[in-house]
Amino acid sequence: MVTDWFTGDGDAFRLLGTRCSACASVFFPREDGHCRNPACPGGDLEEVPLSRRGRVWSYTDSRYRPPSPYVSDPELPWEPYALIAVELESERIVVLGQAVPGITVADLTVGMEVEVVPGVLDEDTETTWTTWHWRPAGVTA
């Protein structure tokens, strides 16, 4: 799990970003040092929950096993997964993430509504590494 990038469970699950008090720019991943907007004189950065929903801006699939530090078992066959770039509903920023398992590029279209949900990046007998996934709105599986 990446600390302070998301919070909550189920319908309360949200990505966490930061907003600059001077220019109102929103950042994800969060920014805790300084405003990234080059035109901003700088302001305090406040943690803000981001929109749960957005629209598919672009998508692709991962057909090959990425190199380290990505964690995967080389003994198991590679399973492709869909990557989705989502423009968040209110913030109008684009956030990249994996689709929920079972959703492929054949299930996606640019402009379709998706929502952020908790997901599992990897797990072993002692640890579960959590992340976020994008799921088409209205799909509950």
Side-chain angles (χ1 to χ4, degrees):
M1 176 170 132
V2 179
T3 305
D4 298 328
W5 281 29
F6 48 85
T7 188
D9 293 310
D11 288 342
F13 185 81
R14 301 288 285 269
L15 294 175
L16 295 173
T18 48
R19 176 177 287 128
C20 176
S21 64
C23 70
S25 293
V26 177
F27 305 105
F28 183 84
R30 60 183 298 122
E31 174 59 61
D32 293 316
H34 61 279
C35 181
R36 292 184 211 147
N37 179 351
C40 179
D44 293 332
L45 297 167
E46 173 188 17
E47 181 178 277
V48 292
L50 302 178
S51 300
R52 289 197 70 235
R53 290 183 177 231
R55 300 227 172 248
V56 173
W57 185 76
S58 186
Y59 59 91
T60 190
D61 59 357
S62 176
R63 296 242 164 225
Y64 66 93
R65 188 183 312 270
S68 180
Y70 186 87
V71 178
S72 68
D73 184 344
E75 300 299 316
L76 297 175
W78 176 248
E79 299 270 341
Y81 58 87
L83 288 169
I84 310 174
V86 176
E87 183 176 26
L88 297 182
E89 194 169 69
S90 296
E91 298 81 5
R92 310 295 297 200
I93 61 173
V94 176
V95 175
L96 185 67
Q98 290 183 7
V100 294
I103 296 295
T104 69
V105 294
D107 303 311
L108 301 171
T109 59
V110 169
M112 82 182 310
E113 188 176 27
V114 293
E115 60 189 340
V116 68
V117 296
V120 173
L121 184 60
D122 194 32
E123 59 188 332
D124 61 25
T125 57
E126 298 171 5
T127 307
T128 299
W129 290 272
T130 56
T131 189
W132 67 93
H133 286 158
W134 295 108
R135 177 178 69 193
V139 173
T140 56

